[in-house]
Amino acid sequence: PPAPSPGPQPRPMFELRIELDWKVEQPVDKGKAIAEAKGQIQVTDFSSEDIESPQMKLICDNQLPPGATPAFKTLMDKLNAAVKESGLPEVSRMLSQDFVSELKQQNQPA
């Protein structure tokens, strides 16, 4: 008789909430000064039930330094936008791909 087929692969179960602090520094004024934008990425819900799409929230600390010019505010907005457009998808990819595949490898029978 044929060998019984193995059942479905066991999958790791997890539920995470993560808060990441981020900071971007950009040299300005030909390198004489550094503009800084910072904030948090909150992963509010990421679980084995919905591996493909971690729920995330971007928080930007829009605290302008004393005497900041409108140009500085524009730059800060651009840095915040870069984190939103490039940083968030990268965090999502790291969680849904790298973290999950690492978990599955840990689960392999030796």
Side-chain angles (χ1 to χ4, degrees), residues 6-101:
Q9 281 289 83
R11 66 188 181 116
M13 302 295 287
F14 62 88
E15 185 174 340
L16 297 176
R17 284 186 184 83
I18 304 169
E19 287 190 2
L20 301 169
D21 291 327
W22 62 265
K23 179 162 94 169
V24 181
E25 294 181 338
Q26 170 80 41
V28 290
D29 197 15
K30 298 189 171 89
K32 291 184 191 140
I34 290 191
E36 179 181 287
K38 59 187 178 187
Q40 270 192 339
I41 294 175
Q42 293 180 345
V43 182
T44 53
D45 186 21
F46 178 50
S47 72
S48 43
E49 300 300 307
D50 192 10
I51 283 174
E52 294 304 310
S53 56
Q55 298 301 302
M56 298 192 298
K57 190 162 81 174
L58 176 66
I59 297 169
C60 299
D61 172 9
N62 287 317
Q63 193 76 44
L64 290 171
T69 61
F72 185 90
K73 167 92 174 82
T74 303
L75 176 60
M76 184 184 254
D77 290 344
K78 282 183 181 168
L79 295 175
N80 289 341
V83 172
K84 183 176 184 178
E85 289 163 23
S86 304
L88 281 182
E90 183 59 16
V91 170
S92 181
R93 186 199 62 75
M94 286 162 57
L95 290 171
S96 61
Q97 294 174 21
D98 300 354
F99 172 76
V100 170
S101 69

